[in-house]
Amino acid sequence: MYKNLLYILIPGVLACNSPGKNKAATPDSFLSLSTKVDTGVMAVGAPPETPQVVPDTIRINGDFDGDGNQDEAYGVLYRKAMEREGQDEYVIRFSNPAIRSLVTGYGEIRLINEGDLNSDGRDDISVYQAPLHGCTYVMSTWAFTKAGWKQLSDPWLVYNGCNYLSDEDLQHRIVVEDGIVYYYQEDPHDEQLTLAKKEMGIK
């Protein structure tokens, strides 16, 4: 009796979970189709054919693939925010088609060429990303490898007190001293937001 009941219920459950023609894609399902993350390496699907380029202030140049030539990196609008989301999503593209696009998540971005932080002969990129709410930004640093883009360390927060940080300020947030990579982060418990130097921990 119970076996017969299972035979009746299973097809019904499968039918309810099968995608219908009019079913709208959720943000999670969209991302699952366009991005894959594996041990820190992100491979992305093709960005839109006619993307909207974000302001020129986030364009940077560098030798990101180690071929000895300068390439341009620039952000483009990847996906407009949905009604329940407060931010657009951007993707970083490159003038050299051999360099894969890089998706870093939601929030407007600015780019910093950090030079070669991990001694692999390629320039690395930091992404300064706007928060969904408040004034706490996120910095993440990436290296291009044969497997795609890989984060060099865990992302860290920038407590800028709702103040604008210039390109020069951002460029000096990460330094290399005696072969060790450090980053400067504000002390959120200090009213003056004094910067403290911390070891970055390159992976």
Side-chain angles (χ1 to χ4, degrees):
M1 174 180 174
Y2 292 108
K3 290 183 178 179
N4 293 335
L5 183 59
L6 285 175
Y7 290 141
I8 295 172
L9 290 176
I10 290 174
V13 172
L14 293 176
C16 291
N17 290 330
S18 63
K21 293 182 179 179
N22 298 323
K23 184 178 180 181
T26 63
D28 290 340
S29 65
F30 181 93
L31 288 176
S32 67
L33 294 174
S34 61
T35 64
K36 293 181 180 179
V37 181
D38 182 15
T39 62
V41 177
M42 180 176 290
V44 305
E49 293 182 2
T50 56
Q52 175 184 333
V53 179
V54 298
D56 290 342
T57 53
I58 65 97
R59 291 174 178 266
I60 60 171
N61 293 311
D63 182 10
F64 305 112
D65 61 353
D67 65 356
N69 298 316
Q70 291 289 301
D71 302 302
E72 185 179 54
Y74 55 96
V76 298
L77 182 61
Y78 185 51
R79 186 172 60 151
K80 289 290 292 181
M82 300 179 69
E83 291 183 4
R84 294 183 181 179
E85 298 171 349
Q87 291 178 307
D88 297 332
E89 184 177 13
Y90 295 90
V91 62
I92 302 167
R93 300 188 72 181
F94 298 85
S95 57
N96 182 351
I99 303 177
R100 299 181 187 178
S101 299
L102 169 62
V103 176
T104 59
Y106 293 96
E108 292 183 2
I109 58 175
R110 289 168 62 193
L111 306 178
I112 305 100
N113 182 344
E114 300 290 2
D116 186 5
L117 298 177
N118 60 349
S119 302
D120 65 351
R122 306 175 182 188
D123 288 337
D124 304 314
I125 295 177
S126 283
V127 182
Y128 178 66
Q129 200 143 18
L132 181 59
H133 300 291
C135 299
T136 302
Y137 283 60
V138 178
M139 284 275 279
S140 59
T141 304
W142 302 78
F144 186 66
T145 71
K146 292 182 179 179
W149 287 97
K150 179 178 181 179
Q151 286 198 49
L152 286 180
S153 69
D154 294 330
W156 47 280
L157 302 178
V158 178
Y159 308 102
N160 64 11
C162 296
N163 297 315
Y164 176 80
L165 296 184
S166 68
D167 291 344
E168 184 178 5
D169 289 333
L170 292 176
Q171 190 71 63
H172 290 103
R173 283 305 179 102
I174 295 178
V175 297
V176 182
E177 297 178 359
D178 297 326
I180 300 176
V181 182
Y182 299 92
Y183 68 95
Y184 284 93
Q185 183 184 45
E186 301 88 349
D187 180 355
H189 304 294
D190 181 354
E191 291 183 0
Q192 303 301 319
L193 295 177
T194 303
L195 293 175
K197 187 170 70 173
K198 303 178 180 182
E199 188 170 344
M200 194 166 174
I202 295 293
K203 295 179 180 180

